[in-house]
Amino acid sequence: MLTFDNRFLRELPGDPERSNVSRQVFGACWSPVDPTPVTAPRLLAHSREVAAALDLDEQAMAAPELLAALAGNGRLPGMATYASCYGGHQFGQWAGQLGDGRAILLGEVINHQGQRFELQLKGAGPTPYSRRADGRAVLRSSIREFLCSEAMHHLGVPTTRALSLVGTGETVIRDMFYDGHPVAEPGAVVCRVAPSFTRFGHFELLAARGDRALLQRLVEFTLARDFPERVAAGPANDLAAWFREICERTARLMVHWMRVGFVHGVMNTDNMSILGLTIDYGPYGWVDNFDPGWTPNTTDASTRRYCFARQPAIALWNLERLAEALAMLMPEPGELADALEHYGEVYAHEFRAAYAAKLGLERWQDDDVDLLEDLYGLMHRAEIDMTEFFRSLASLDIGQPSVEVVQESFYRPDLRQRFAGDLLQWLQRYAARLRQEGLPADRRAARMNAANPRYVLRNYLAQQAIDLAEQGDLRRVDDLLEILRRPYDEQPGREAFSTKRPDWARHRAGCSMLSCSS
Ligand code: AMP
Ligand code: MG
């Protein structure tokens, strides 16, 4: 059914200890561990695109042995289960060993085109890295991860994917607000899929422990398996050039997050993918009313380390930690500093390209920065919805700009009134800028609509789907999965899924603030 070829296991050293007891693991990149079976697994949803990428047709998706594997209840031929060992900086502090505490890899699948994918169950029970936690995941956070990974892919944002969402039939105890009120919630397991789940933290842990030999091996392995084009390009492709590529990929990823209004919420170095993918969907969120300081993560509310506007700077900070780890292998670590500088250049370059498209400009000019910054200041003060505003802007008549076209993007009538004059002034400046380029209106609108999504997984939309799913009704999950497959298209009849956050959701848990407890 699936063809496995488990290189991570075969080529990197494993933990000789076989018991599933929490421990520090030295001299190994992984520990063997079996998922813990669940009582009543049910396939609640799956991504047909991911299934197709794995050569799984609808019949295969319906097979009991596949469901068993995706629930952690059974093993397919060739499958081997393990948890990987990594560390990380959490909220700016070195946290030591973390590891896959509630993720269990099922091995690596090769599809008929020779593409390789790691499959990983999230929430399939404890591993040697679980510390005192249970290794499980609740349905609400599993739905959020499942839907958002697929939505991000369709938005064109690099991301890990999700094959399946399986209900376990069991409950998981969580104290959502950390206020001493634990509740039994339905449990679930998501099967995540990516070419590699390797994180910055995998390298950091080995360097922190002074294990130079294993660090060298892991770097060579990662290059060979996850960056084959680099190896093929020959010996000029050294460590520094590889790190430079990681900086580039990370810069591109940050531009994507900033252009679509995504806030990850927990940008610890253990949540940074070596491939520059969005990884580990937890208390993430989507910007509604534009606010650079907004963070969806309640744990981050006081310091706002991981708020929307700081993400590009935090990514750089994280790259610096990776550079420190790799420096152990470099005779000339100065090259790593060059690569870190390159991060800023790539970010600036890609950001201009992305925002030229969002604003419908053919070419970005230097003073467009002022135009954008003034807009951002205004959007913040006037509490304007980011997604709605940029999408509506494409309909502006640049011969006769008016605030009408972006009416809907205001949350508060009083602020709409107060800022209408300022906004009109901005729209006039913007229209003049567009007239200077002379792009025909239909071409400009097409360019903007391909860059400004109509549909994103707004926090309240995910929460509505969760509320229904917890009652046993999965239809909203299916609807969202379907709608978010074409985020840049107008979808007549589905306008309700693009409306800005309703009032009831402004302060509701899951809609504007999220806890790490998942
Ligand atoms: P996160 O903040 O979700 O990226 O998780 C940080 C660390 O805590 C990782 O090592 C996770 O594997 C671990 N972890 C988070 N939740 C659980 C859980 N319910 N059971 C076991 N380990 C967990
Ligand atoms: Mg994590």
Side-chain angles (χ1 to χ4, degrees):
M1 176 183 285
L2 291 168
T3 308
F4 284 93
D5 176 47
N6 305 324
R7 284 183 71 177
F8 196 89
L9 279 192
R10 204 166 58 227
E11 297 176 25
L12 291 169
D15 178 4
E17 167 80 50
R18 306 203 76 80
S19 75
N20 194 358
V21 171
S22 273
R23 58 181 175 265
Q24 294 288 309
V25 174
F26 296 96
C29 292
W30 54 272
S31 302
V33 63
D34 290 324
T36 306
V38 298
T39 45
R42 225 182 99 210
L43 184 63
L44 302 179
H46 76 276
S47 158
R48 64 182 120 133
E49 290 88 1
V50 179
L54 297 172
D55 301 332
L56 294 168
D57 57 21
E58 290 302 305
Q59 199 186 341
M61 282 310 300
E65 60 272 27
L66 185 71
L67 174 60
L70 298 178
N73 283 14
R75 195 178 278 262
L76 296 168
M79 209 172 98
T81 55
Y82 56 99
S84 78
C85 182
Y86 57 80
H89 280 84
Q90 297 185 310
F91 294 92
Q93 306 295 324
W94 175 243
Q97 177 184 299
L98 297 167
D100 290 324
R102 60 162 162 183
I104 296 181
L105 287 130
L106 304 180
E108 298 163 45
V109 168
I110 311 271
N111 72 7
H112 75 282
Q113 293 173 302
Q115 291 167 315
R116 178 179 295 270
F117 301 97
E118 284 190 328
L119 267 59
Q120 180 173 94
L121 299 185
K122 184 164 173 180
T127 78
Y129 306 97
S130 297
R131 292 166 281 168
R132 273 186 301 276
D134 58 7
R136 291 295 183 191
V138 290
L139 179 64
R140 68 181 147 83
S141 55
S142 304
I143 289 176
R144 284 168 48 82
E145 172 137 25
F146 174 77
L147 285 177
C148 201
S149 13
E150 291 308 286
M152 289 287 260
H153 167 75
H154 295 296
L155 281 165
V157 182
T159 178
T160 63
R161 306 290 302 273
L163 169 65
S164 55
L165 172 70
V166 170
T168 59
E170 297 179 357
T171 55
V172 176
I173 310 290
R174 287 291 180 268
D175 184 357
M176 183 152 69
F177 299 108
Y178 305 111
D179 63 354
H181 294 95
V183 172
E185 299 188 47
V189 176
V190 169
C191 179
R192 313 198 284 192
V193 177
S196 168
F197 282 94
T198 302
R199 302 141 189 273
F200 291 7
H202 280 97
F203 302 91
E204 286 178 273
L205 182 62
L206 297 173
R209 288 172 167 174
D211 194 343
R212 193 178 184 283
L214 189 49
L215 179 62
Q216 178 77 39
R217 260 181 92 174
L218 180 63
V219 167
E220 280 167 18
F221 172 82
T222 306
L223 268 160
R225 192 193 65 171
D226 300 337
F227 294 81
E229 7 26 90
R230 299 208 68 84
V231 177
N237 265 294
D238 52 15
L239 201 64
W242 171 58
F243 180 65
R244 195 178 162 90
E245 180 173 344
I246 297 167
C247 290
E248 262 173 40
R249 287 176 180 242
T250 307
R252 287 177 207 279
L253 181 66
M254 289 308 112
V255 171
H256 277 295
W257 289 1
M258 300 311 284
R259 81 172 175 86
V260 297
F262 176 79
V263 189
H264 182 285
V266 204
M267 287 180 71
N268 295 332
T269 57
D270 54 304
N271 292 338
M272 295 293 292
S273 142
I274 204 74
L275 288 178
L277 308 173
T278 312
I279 189 173
D280 275 12
Y281 292 85
Y284 69 83
W286 293 82
V287 172
D288 291 311
N289 52 300
F290 187 82
D291 179 359
W294 181 66
T295 174
N297 183 356
T298 48
T299 311
D300 190 34
S302 53
T303 57
R304 299 189 184 268
R305 179 179 172 86
Y306 296 143
C307 71
F308 181 54
R310 290 186 75 179
Q311 297 187 114
I314 292 290
L316 177 61
W317 191 90
N318 290 341
L319 284 162
E320 286 163 4
R321 304 291 79 75
L322 178 60
E324 281 167 7
L326 297 180
M328 195 178 197
L329 304 176
M330 297 267 301
E332 213 20 274
E335 291 176 76
L336 296 173
D338 294 345
L340 289 168
E341 213 146 290
H342 185 55
Y343 170 87
E345 291 155 11
V346 176
Y347 182 82
H349 183 264
E350 295 292 318
F351 184 89
R352 288 192 286 265
Y355 268 81
K358 279 182 88 67
L359 291 169
L361 298 167
E362 262 196 312
R363 230 167 280 101
W364 187 266
Q365 291 177 358
D366 284 346
D367 26 339
D368 291 332
V369 174
D370 301 331
L371 191 70
L372 180 60
E373 279 181 1
D374 292 347
L375 173 64
Y376 270 3
L378 193 53
M379 286 174 74
H380 184 199
R381 287 191 299 279
E383 296 190 17
I384 288 176
D385 185 81
M386 181 178 178
T387 306
E388 176 70 39
F389 179 86
F390 278 106
R391 185 71 184 194
S392 310
L393 198 57
S395 319
L396 188 75
D397 174 356
I398 64 169
Q400 223 171 3
S402 115
V403 178
E404 286 293 293
V405 283
V406 291
Q407 284 274 43
E408 279 304 306
S409 56
F410 284 91
Y411 279 94
R412 289 173 43 182
D414 58 328
L415 293 180
R416 176 166 57 207
Q417 224 173 5
R418 175 151 22 125
F419 289 101
D422 291 352
L423 184 58
L424 181 61
Q425 260 183 19
W426 185 87
L427 290 170
Q428 284 164 342
R429 239 171 97 197
Y430 168 64
R433 171 71 180 90
L434 290 176
R435 286 197 299 271
Q436 183 197 349
E437 283 197 326
L439 200 66
D442 54 339
R443 276 190 40 212
R444 187 182 71 247
R447 177 164 165 74
M448 292 176 77
N449 287 342
N452 296 312
R454 166 59 85 199
Y455 300 94
V456 295
L457 185 59
R458 288 177 182 274
N459 314 307
Y460 85 89
L461 290 174
Q463 189 55 43
Q464 285 176 321
I466 290 164
D467 290 342
L468 288 167
E470 287 178 345
Q471 312 297 315
D473 180 353
L474 270 302
R475 280 175 302 183
R476 189 59 69 84
V477 171
D478 291 338
D479 290 347
L480 285 174
L481 186 62
E482 187 58 31
I483 290 163
L484 295 168
R485 291 175 73 236
R486 294 186 294 120
Y488 298 101
D489 293 356
E490 293 296 332
Q491 300 182 38
R494 287 167 168 170
E495 290 75 13
F497 293 91
S498 71
T499 45
K500 59 180 187 278
R501 179 197 58 221
D503 263 350
W504 60 261
R506 193 172 174 99
H507 297 294
R508 205 191 133 184
C511 298
S512 57
M513 40 169 187
L514 286 130
S515 126
C516 271
S517 169
S518 56

